[in-house]
């Protein structure tokens, strides 16, 4: 399910640390990794030469840090606009997962500051694992999936089960949040799956693979509740379905129509205190 990973590195080390942790997962250990660093255009040839040399060092350091089997890793150093190049390379290698660092900027701020991760998230239909600068990457044992009736959520469930297979002592946290836009929150309640048909179906699927599950419900603003649950339950990785929000003809344009409103995925990627894997439905 995840056989080709694109790791976009900037020299900060957060994305590299996430990949090292992910490669400890049995279902991921044989995945091929492409490490990418993009050198933005410079105003002079001398500046371009300096940036190119710096980029080569960033790539070399990243590969050294990862310490992977040489047969599993390749590197690409490319010039261009980072947000465009990441999408292009992901398509070229047919990546099953993109891993990137993220500064955790809010939506308007991230677009005005030309956030690479925000643009890639907008324009790519591939699963993206975002690692904010200010979080601690932990060994993956507890994965939370925000469940509803959407195909995107079911896709996330399948990804979570793929990742958890073979991890001893692993646990799948299934969370279903009832929307209350007034902001009135409820207590987080652990329930048996028979009390909630959405969670019952997810638990039945997990049982096929022998994955241990716990089910929780709450109500309030979905983004806030999902982040609260992930933090309170000490989740190592959060999976969230993100429906394809834009028609294919408009993929190359900034999503101006949603600058004012805040989507669920935008809120969670900014505010979650653990790495967040955003996945759209297959074929989106």
């Amino acid at each position: 399910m995840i056989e080709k990973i694109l790791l976009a590195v900037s020299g900060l080390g957060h994305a590299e640390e996430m990949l090292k942790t992910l490669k400890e997962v049995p279902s991921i250990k044989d995945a091929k990794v492409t490490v990418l660093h993009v050198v933005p255009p410079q105003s002079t040839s001398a500046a371009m030469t300096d940036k190119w040399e710096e980029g080569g060092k960033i790539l070399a350091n990243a590969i050294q840090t990862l310490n992977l089997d040489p047969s599993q890793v390749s590197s690409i150093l490319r010039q261009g606009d980072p947000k465009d190049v990441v999408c292009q390379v992901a398509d070229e290698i047919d990546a099953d997962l993109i891993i990137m660092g993220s500064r955790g900027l809010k939506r308007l701020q991230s677009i005005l500051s030309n956030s690479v991760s925000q643009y890639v998230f907008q324009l790519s239909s591939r699963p993206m694992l975002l690692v904010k600068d200010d979080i601690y990457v932990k060994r993956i044992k507890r994965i939370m999936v925000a469940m509803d009736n959407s195909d995107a959520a079911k896709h996330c469930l399948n990804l979570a089960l793929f990742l958890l297979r073979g991890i001893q002592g692993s646990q799948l946290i299934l969370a279903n949040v009832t929307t209350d836009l007034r902001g009135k929150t409820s207590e987080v309640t652990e329930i048996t799956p028979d009390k909630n048909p959405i969670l019952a179906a997810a638990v039945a699927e997990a049982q096929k693979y022998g994955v241990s599950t716990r089910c929780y419900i709450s109500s309030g603003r979905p983004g806030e509740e999902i982040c609260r649950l992930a933090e309170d339950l000490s989740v190592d990785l959060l999976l969230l379905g993100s429906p394809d929000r834009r028609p294919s003809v408009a993929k190359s344009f900034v999503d101006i129509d949603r600058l004012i409103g805040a989507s669920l995925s935008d809120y969670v990627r900014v505010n979650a205190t653990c790495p967040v894997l955003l996945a759209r439905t297959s074929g989106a």
Side-chain angles (χ1 to χ4, degrees):
M1 199 168 185
I2 298 178
E3 298 178 345
K4 300 174 186 176
I5 298 173
L6 175 61
L7 174 69
V9 298
S10 62
L12 296 176
H14 297 88
E16 293 95 312
E17 191 63 31
M18 186 72 244
L19 179 63
K20 285 179 67 177
T21 300
L22 201 61
K23 287 291 278 184
E24 296 175 1
V25 173
S27 58
I28 299 289
K29 63 183 179 65
D30 294 326
K32 303 291 185 182
V33 176
T34 299
V35 184
L36 169 68
H37 179 72
V38 184
V39 178
Q42 302 297 311
S43 56
T44 67
S45 58
M48 192 68 238
T49 299
D50 290 343
K51 281 294 184 181
W52 199 258
E53 291 178 356
E54 179 186 342
K57 292 177 182 178
I58 289 173
L59 268 184
N61 289 337
I63 290 174
Q64 184 178 17
T65 298
L66 293 172
N67 194 28
L68 297 176
D69 183 335
S71 67
Q72 290 187 335
V73 62
S74 59
S75 62
I76 296 176
L77 180 63
R78 191 169 293 184
Q79 179 185 346
D81 188 331
K83 65 181 185 293
D84 294 328
V85 174
V86 171
C87 291
Q88 290 165 6
V89 173
D91 289 341
E92 288 172 14
I93 70 170
D94 194 21
D96 301 308
L97 178 67
I98 301 170
I99 301 178
M100 297 184 68
S102 170
R103 287 174 291 166
L105 301 175
K106 289 182 170 54
R107 186 175 182 77
L108 179 58
Q109 185 184 4
S110 66
I111 289 183
L112 293 178
S113 66
N114 204 27
S115 167
V116 176
S117 61
Q118 168 66 14
Y119 270 82
V120 173
F121 170 56
Q122 278 293 318
L123 303 180
S124 178
S125 61
R126 302 174 188 276
M128 280 189 64
L129 178 47
L130 298 176
V131 191
K132 287 197 302 179
D133 294 346
D134 59 351
I135 67 168
Y136 176 69
V137 176
K138 298 182 293 183
R139 178 172 293 182
I140 296 173
K141 294 192 77 172
R142 293 165 64 84
I143 294 180
M144 175 175 148
V145 179
M147 289 301 304
D148 55 24
N149 273 322
S150 69
D151 289 338
K154 294 170 186 174
H155 183 44
C156 282
L157 173 64
N158 290 333
L159 275 172
L161 292 175
F162 170 79
L163 291 171
L164 288 171
R165 258 173 268 172
I167 301 179
Q168 290 189 348
S170 65
Q171 192 170 74
L172 174 63
I173 307 294
L174 298 168
N176 180 231
V177 176
T178 300
T179 301
D180 187 336
L181 296 179
R182 297 169 300 175
K184 186 176 181 181
T185 60
S186 69
E187 291 294 323
V188 175
T189 304
E190 184 171 6
I191 63 168
T192 56
D194 59 286
K195 302 293 185 182
N196 183 298
I198 294 173
L199 299 183
V203 168
E205 190 66 23
Q207 287 175 340
K208 296 178 183 178
Y209 302 98
V211 174
S212 172
T213 60
R214 295 180 74 175
C215 297
Y216 293 86
I217 58 171
S218 69
S219 65
R221 290 190 175 95
E224 295 176 11
E225 285 302 291
I226 289 169
C227 291
R228 178 166 73 112
L229 278 162
E231 184 169 15
D232 289 352
L233 299 172
S234 300
V235 167
D236 305 320
L237 178 64
L238 169 61
L239 270 66
L240 181 68
S242 177
D244 191 17
R245 297 197 302 266
R246 315 203 66 215
S248 58
V249 70
K251 291 287 187 185
S252 60
F253 298 101
V254 178
D255 198 359
I256 297 295
D257 57 319
R258 288 186 179 263
L259 279 174
I260 305 302
S263 75
L264 173 61
S265 55
D266 290 321
Y267 184 92
V268 171
R269 72 174 177 82
V270 169
N271 293 285
T273 55
C274 64
V276 178
L277 198 163
L278 300 168
R280 295 192 166 105
T281 50
S282 301

